[in-house]
Amino acid sequence: MPRAHEIKHRVVTAFQRRVANPLSRRLPGQVLVETTGRTSGLARRTPVGGRRVGDAFWLVSEFGLKSQYVRNIQADPEVRVRIRGRWHHGTAHLLPDDDARARLTSLPRYNSAAVRVLGTELLTLRVDLTD
């Protein structure tokens, strides 16, 4: 029998894939992380919440290593991030030793609240921007 957090992951992921992400990707102000699909090789764009601090973009994944975009980053850390309508190239780093809950206090409030409520395996990521 599946555990509660596994059911939560399936339900939230299905909703995000079919409803939330397709709508969010179209919003001009939405931050997107573009990864390369680890099996398809195609560009994959995922709406995220985070904040640019200097030459780095910080975010927290709600499902950690179960998130498809995180798995893509593991296979190829070269990404692009769309911030305020402009694309930036960068290298993503998974930071499992970072306190993701504490990190959320420095990121956009509404997204952080959603990540806290919906997330089951929080993981901090940092993208070092090169342009």
Side-chain angles (χ1 to χ4, degrees):
M1 177 145 217
R3 294 187 197 139
H5 71 277
E6 292 169 344
I7 294 169
K8 184 179 187 180
H9 175 256
R10 277 190 244 158
V11 169
V12 171
T13 300
F15 175 77
Q16 287 175 332
R17 274 196 195 127
R18 292 180 179 93
V19 179
N21 288 358
L23 294 173
S24 296
R25 277 193 289 268
R26 295 170 192 233
L27 298 173
Q30 176 66 53
V31 176
L32 298 176
V33 170
E34 183 181 81
T35 61
T36 301
R38 62 192 175 283
T39 55
S40 70
L42 300 174
R44 302 294 185 192
R45 293 181 176 174
T46 305
V48 297
R51 175 166 283 139
R52 183 176 184 161
V53 179
D55 289 334
F57 183 80
W58 291 85
L59 67 146
V60 174
S61 168
E62 59 199 348
F63 297 116
L65 299 175
K66 288 185 177 180
S67 295
Q68 297 302 314
Y69 77 96
V70 172
R71 294 173 69 188
N72 288 343
I73 287 169
Q74 285 182 298
D76 181 0
E78 299 306 311
V79 300
R80 291 193 321 152
V81 182
R82 187 180 78 180
I83 306 168
R84 295 189 177 128
R86 182 170 174 253
W87 286 100
H88 303 270
H89 290 88
T91 303
H93 304 275
L94 309 182
L95 304 172
D97 294 331
D98 189 69
D99 183 346
R101 289 204 176 273
R103 178 72 56 192
L104 285 170
T105 63
S106 68
L107 300 179
R109 184 179 343 176
Y110 296 115
N111 181 76
S112 294
V115 169
R116 272 190 212 95
V117 169
L118 300 174
T120 58
E121 297 179 32
L122 305 184
L123 175 65
T124 302
L125 290 89
R126 184 188 75 236
V127 178
D128 295 330
L129 304 172
T130 57
D131 62 352

